Amino acid sequence: MPLGRALLDLVFAPICLGCDGPIAPGDAARLICRRCRARLPVPPAPLCARCGAPRLRTGRQERELSCRECEHWPPAVRAARSACLLLPPADRVVHQLKYRGWWALAQPMAERMAAVALPPDVVAEARVVVPVPTTAARRRERGYNQAELLARGYAKRTGRQLLRALERSTGASSQTSLQPAQRAANVSSAFRLAAGVERGLLAAHIILVDDVLTTGATAGECTRVLVAAGARAVSIVTFARAPTVREVPT
Ligand SMILES: [Zn+2]
Ligand SMILES: [Zn+2]
């Protein structure tokens, strides 16, 4: 470590955004301490082959291609994977990114996401990364869309292309100015296709990126829009996944 930085660290010891503890001198990470990084709760195997839900209590066999978590998802959703469960300290880290303005956290978070193993066919097919959009008002308020920051970092680290293919509508918006392909894709009230992205979606397997996967409803709505615009399949990658009752061992 350069002497100047070592001195600065003595005076202004960086504080971990996961636990408020000081980050140890010599730790190259400046935002999340080594202990918190080690404590991020990885979803315990075995996972549902499709949605990545831990099968602790789903009672399903590994050869089955879906579980109660994902059996109602749109058929075009091929797989979902998350870097960790939304338990301490991951919940705190997500909160800091989303509500506390710590946009730089997206980099270490995207790094964890890029390290998550995807099914081999997804790795082979998926070349395009699409972030789940936020509303224009929220983006103005925060200054960024956290899902887009994660998607950008994820795309860069995995050698894929970022495509901002979706927009979030704030309410009933007029469709009169939309092109036919946009209209066809505009099946959901919450999401619509961005202008000029059809070529990038055609017959593509898309990786949809968000900060948290909860029920899959948001991802499902995005999937319907992408598929209506010509995408062939969608896989979902998030930093965290909400734990459900079935995932908690008793
Ligand atoms: Zn920490
Ligand atoms: Zn499943």
Side-chain angles (χ1 to χ4, degrees), residues 47-55 58 60 64-71 73 80-81 241:
L47 307 177
C48 168
R50 187 179 181 220
C51 74
R55 287 183 181 268
T58 59
R60 300 288 181 101
E64 290 184 72
L65 294 177
S66 69
C67 69
R68 275 175 292 180
E69 303 283 324
C70 65
E71 62 194 0
W73 288 12
R81 294 292 184 272
R241 173 191 184 97

Side-chain angles (χ1 to χ4, degrees), residues 15-23 31-37 39 89:
I15 297 298
C16 170
L17 294 171
C19 68
D20 284 339
I23 292 183
L31 300 171
I32 311 177
C33 75
R34 188 174 289 145
R35 185 159 168 269
C36 282
R37 294 201 302 278
R39 277 173 61 221

Side-chain angles (χ1 to χ4, degrees), residues 212-233:
V212 174
L213 176 69
T214 310
T215 61
T218 298
E221 282 191 55
C222 292
T223 295
R224 276 184 270 276
V225 176
L226 294 170
V227 167
R232 185 166 52 82

